[in-house]
Amino acid sequence: MPLDTGTRLGPYEILAPLGAGGMGEVFRARDGRVDRIVAIKVLPQELFEDAERRARFEREARILASLNHPGIAVLYSFEEIPGASLVPPSASTLHILVMELLEGETLRAALGGAKLSTKRALDWARQMAHGLAAAHEKGVIHRDLKPENVFLTKDGRIKILDFGLAKLTQAEEGSSGTNLPTQTRGTEPGVVMGTLGYMSPEQVKGKPADARSDIFSFGAILYEMLSGQRAFHRETAAETISAILREDPPDLSTTNQNVPPGLERLVAHCLEKNPEQRFHSAHDLAFDLESVAGTSGAPIASVTLASRARPRLGAAFVLAGLAAAFAAGFVARGFRAAPPPPAFKRLTFRRGMVWTARFAPDGQTVVYGAGWEANPMEVYLTRPESPESRPLGIADASLFGVSPTGELAVMLHAHTSARSYERSGTLARVPLAGGSPRPIIEDVRYADWSPDGRELMVERIVAGKHRIEFPIGKVLYETTFRIESPRISPRGDLIAFFEAKGDFTVIRVVDLAGKSRTLVTLLDWWNLAWSPDGSEIIYAAPETGASAADVTSLQAVTLAGKSRLLLRFPGTLELHDVSRDGRILLGILRFEYQLVGLAAGAKDGRELSALDGSWLSGLSSDGKSILLT
Ligand code: ATP
Ligand code: MG
């Protein structure tokens, strides 16, 4: 219904038309009561002929109006304006949506048929993903996400428009043909196709849409932002539908050299035909986008991976990953200036066991393999700004390492041999952005990526001997003693490892020709990693003679065997990884012992612990007192 400037709809005065879409016309208007400029969308009359439908619309609009997120255009209200309160008056009642007025342009206009820089595309995609996540959390699904419904404000903010509207305008799920988006009302063929081109396969098939359908549409938009080409747009609607159902768009790398592989995989993960295989939530998607955004800068030089397995007897403990800043130790080497004290940041907050943790290529995201509470081992992702970790959804897996190109080496189906420390499992590769793990070889104890991310080093036991192979199949070192924590140097020319010889342990390096030498002799091993420039090996070890006091020292040893102390810590520290800018990923092991008494006949045990770590030493003959240490 075209409305002239100056027309009044109750409290609203029409100022100017803003645009028209499949669902009606949009106007700039003033709300006279609060003197606020708003956008008003006048909805087609026939939608409200049915009272039940109108009630549903109202209910849903209330949920939408409760959404409060910077990535979503605010819906102020859904209103019914009787014809009599129109100036000039009209015979018919109007139904309008009153929205936040946005200044700027739609994403469709902003794209203008060209591709964006990766940086800009990531920025906009991130904002969109966070907006989607906020709505999905409230159970609101967009269902018609497309560049026309995404707005770029003048100050560079992304706002999603028309959230849930497609749903509001559709009949109940399942009735025929109604799942098509709003633009099917449009007459311009290009409009119809443009819309269709962002629909998920399940929507095209007329099946119910859920959050994952929005993720598909999001993927199609992100693809377009990065390539400048519509992912599924074809000449006719029938061809477009067929493309959505059956075709993958051309690889992003063919249209845009600058797309990091992690981002390409992320887009592909959004565009999976089967919703089961997509990101399961926009929250996960936003999380991964943040990680990719961090990696899209300079090319990654090195820092690679391995894993370790080590006996941990009984008891529950809390393990925290910490990043300790000790960059000054490297930068100021040669000086005698005192380095600043390290700063710590805790990354995990659950009870359980973290086996291996690594920095992702962005140096911020941390990937780790852990068994939390009584759960089986899984691979998780976390970032320093968030107290949350999210599982990557790889069943029965722990981590070996992360490649500089964002690929994971994981340990599947870990099993422990009779000698409890010999934990091994199937080595498999899987992209950080998701997918099915691809098994490589079995019974691997440690694995580490070469600095270019092409080859893997493995440590395994063959015919009773521990051996390091790099690349897989080429034996560089073999011993009857235990090898622990082998890691490839940043230049890829050396492998450092512990060799546990019973009463003592040595750190050794072996070169690619198999020549090896000992750098330092220790009492025990506790994991190692290379310094970013490859000049030192950082390791954590229990302090000599101080095991009762439980003090760990973090040391660095040069290739010439010269050691220096980086940090002393009251507690058991495990070294997991060192980032390229010199931050360290540490685990803190804490064993907690609890004493519980169960009286005869009682159903529940009673906490008897006193202080931290109570051990039962004796029970009085009358059964009324216990002796504890
Ligand atoms: P659909 O009906 O499928 O959403 P559409 O997005 O093309 O299709 P409308 O949502 O009706 O059409 O919007 C028409 C145009 O009005 C938009 O393209 C946009 O330019 C403008 N518009 C919509 N909402 C606002 C708003 N809140 N602030 C400013 N402009 C808006
Ligand atoms: Mg719209």
Side-chain angles (χ1 to χ4, degrees):
M1 174 179 193
L3 294 174
D4 293 328
T5 300
T7 306
R8 286 174 179 278
L9 316 170
Y12 305 102
E13 182 193 346
I14 297 295
L15 300 176
L18 280 171
M23 269 265 303
E25 276 175 87
V26 183
F27 301 90
R28 170 196 284 269
R30 174 185 290 115
D31 180 348
R33 293 164 303 188
V34 286
D35 199 20
R36 171 165 72 177
I37 308 292
V38 296
I40 284 183
K41 187 177 226 175
V42 180
L43 298 163
Q45 216 37 59
E46 50 292 9
L47 284 179
F48 304 99
E49 272 148 18
D50 172 322
E52 196 183 317
R53 187 167 187 156
R54 190 195 173 284
R56 192 160 57 89
F57 204 119
E58 211 164 1
R59 200 166 53 237
E60 302 256 323
R62 229 175 289 127
I63 303 175
L64 288 176
S66 74
L67 279 179
N68 179 11
H69 189 274
I72 299 173
V74 183
L75 176 69
Y76 295 133
S77 58
F78 165 60
E79 290 176 43
E80 187 176 82
I81 312 282
S85 60
L86 256 69
V87 183
S90 153
S92 49
T93 301
L94 289 188
H95 290 92
I96 62 168
L97 285 168
V98 186
M99 305 174 282
E100 167 185 21
L101 176 77
L102 301 172
E103 307 274 1
E105 57 184 353
T106 61
L107 179 60
R108 167 64 64 225
L111 283 172
K115 64 182 162 208
L116 302 174
S117 72
T118 303
K119 190 165 166 242
R120 173 155 298 175
L122 271 171
D123 175 30
W124 293 358
R126 260 183 42 233
Q127 297 188 45
M128 242 194 284
H130 283 293
L132 269 187
H136 288 174
E137 252 151 52
K138 295 227 173 183
V140 182
I141 296 157
H142 194 298
R143 288 177 176 227
D144 192 15
L145 199 60
K146 55 186 175 181
E148 289 78 5
N149 278 335
V150 177
F151 209 88
L152 174 69
T153 66
K154 280 182 175 153
D155 56 355
R157 299 205 62 104
I158 289 288
K159 302 254 179 194
I160 303 176
L161 278 169
D162 294 339
F163 228 108
L165 269 189
K167 179 170 186 183
L168 297 181
T169 55
Q170 281 159 17
E172 296 298 343
E173 216 52 87
S175 42
S176 63
T178 47
N179 231 340
L180 285 179
T182 56
Q183 259 87 352
T184 42
R185 290 165 45 91
T187 46
E188 223 186 307
V191 176
V192 175
M193 240 105 63
T195 301
L196 265 182
Y198 302 91
M199 282 174 81
S200 63
E202 60 272 20
Q203 284 172 292
V204 167
K205 287 193 254 182
K207 289 191 188 157
D210 63 19
R212 296 169 300 184
S213 313
D214 282 353
I215 289 173
F216 184 93
S217 307
F218 172 94
I221 297 174
L222 180 52
Y223 180 91
E224 189 168 333
M225 291 200 287
L226 291 165
S227 67
Q229 285 163 22
R230 299 188 192 197
F232 302 107
H233 182 71
R234 300 292 185 274
E235 286 291 307
T236 66
E239 287 171 277
T240 301
I241 288 174
S242 159
I244 290 171
L245 292 177
R246 280 178 282 276
E247 289 166 35
D248 286 327
D251 284 352
L252 275 172
S253 47
T254 60
T255 52
N256 187 338
Q257 304 295 321
N258 299 323
V259 176
L263 183 55
E264 183 160 10
R265 282 194 295 265
L266 181 143
V267 174
H269 198 31
C270 293
L271 292 179
E272 289 285 356
K273 306 290 182 204
N274 177 355
E276 288 293 319
Q277 279 161 11
R278 280 174 223 150
F279 283 101
H280 280 209
S281 76
H283 186 78
D284 290 357
L285 167 64
F287 196 99
D288 277 12
L289 268 171
E290 297 286 355
S291 329
V292 174
T295 58
S296 64
I300 283 95
S302 64
V303 178
T304 41
L305 354 114
S307 110
R308 70 154 205 55
R310 204 183 151 80
R312 289 284 177 269
L313 294 172
F317 48 79
V318 175
L319 184 72
L322 296 172
F326 80 126
F330 294 116
V331 177
R333 202 140 29 84
F335 281 73
R336 279 277 145 243
F344 293 88
K345 168 118 184 128
R346 185 167 172 178
L347 297 178
T348 64
F349 301 86
R350 293 173 72 180
R351 191 181 281 242
M353 177 67 192
V354 174
W355 287 95
T356 311
R358 295 287 182 263
F359 285 106
D362 66 354
Q364 293 299 320
T365 307
V366 170
V367 188
Y368 65 89
W372 289 127
E373 281 93 33
N375 297 313
M377 215 145 52
E378 266 199 85
V379 181
Y380 295 86
L381 214 87
T382 186
R383 291 182 52 84
E385 69 270 15
S386 164
E388 263 182 281
S389 290
R390 78 166 183 80
L392 285 179
I394 312 166
D396 191 14
S398 181
L399 184 70
F400 278 131
V402 187
S403 88
T405 54
E407 204 178 344
L408 305 182
V410 294
M411 179 195 273
L412 299 180
H413 324 301
H415 48 265
T416 306
S417 76
R419 289 189 287 165
S420 66
Y421 47 81
E422 313 290 23
R423 196 165 144 274
S424 62
T426 303
L427 169 67
R429 304 166 65 140
V430 58
L432 184 52
S436 315
R438 202 152 53 77
I440 302 172
I441 47 168
E442 289 179 8
D443 291 324
V444 172
R445 295 182 68 234
Y446 292 99
D448 196 7
W449 290 95
S450 62
D452 62 4
R454 286 168 197 269
E455 303 281 0
L456 282 155
M457 178 268 291
V458 296
E459 194 274 334
R460 50 181 173 161
I461 303 171
V462 177
K465 280 185 176 169
H466 282 256
R467 53 149 80 154
I468 292 172
E469 298 175 23
F470 180 62
I472 295 172
K474 184 182 172 204
V475 181
L476 291 186
Y477 191 78
E478 204 170 26
T479 170
T480 50
F481 295 111
R482 262 166 54 213
I483 290 177
E484 305 287 356
S485 195
R487 304 221 35 190
I488 304 179
S489 69
R491 270 194 297 270
D493 54 349
L494 292 170
I495 292 158
F497 56 95
F498 290 103
E499 189 171 353
K501 301 195 165 195
D503 290 345
F504 63 99
T505 294
V506 295
I507 294 181
R508 284 178 85 80
V509 287
V510 59
D511 67 17
L512 302 188
K515 249 180 68 204
S516 68
R517 62 200 155 100
T518 292
L519 299 185
V520 63
T521 301
L522 310 164
L523 275 186
D524 199 0
W525 65 275
W526 221 237
N527 285 352
L528 59 75
W530 287 87
S531 69
D533 66 358
S535 67
E536 290 178 304
I537 293 149
I538 322 268
Y539 61 95
E543 283 213 343
T544 313
S547 56
D550 194 15
V551 172
T552 313
S553 67
L554 210 58
Q555 311 254 1
V557 60
T558 66
L559 293 172
K562 209 163 157 272
S563 283
R564 69 189 177 103
L565 178 69
L566 296 174
L567 181 73
R568 296 184 71 202
F569 185 87
T572 304
L573 279 188
E574 289 192 300
L575 178 67
H576 284 286
D577 204 11
V578 176
S579 75
R580 276 177 300 136
D581 61 357
R583 283 164 308 119
I584 301 183
L585 196 58
L586 295 172
I588 298 179
L589 287 178
R590 220 176 82 214
F591 293 85
E592 284 174 1
Y593 302 91
Q594 204 185 5
L595 198 59
V596 177
L598 187 67
K603 268 225 296 295
D604 296 314
R606 203 156 64 86
E607 167 80 62
L608 297 174
S609 313
L611 305 177
D612 194 19
S614 300
W615 269 122
L616 183 68
S617 292
L619 182 65
S620 65
S621 50
D622 63 359
K624 287 196 169 136
S625 311
I626 55 166
L627 182 66
L628 50 87
T629 48

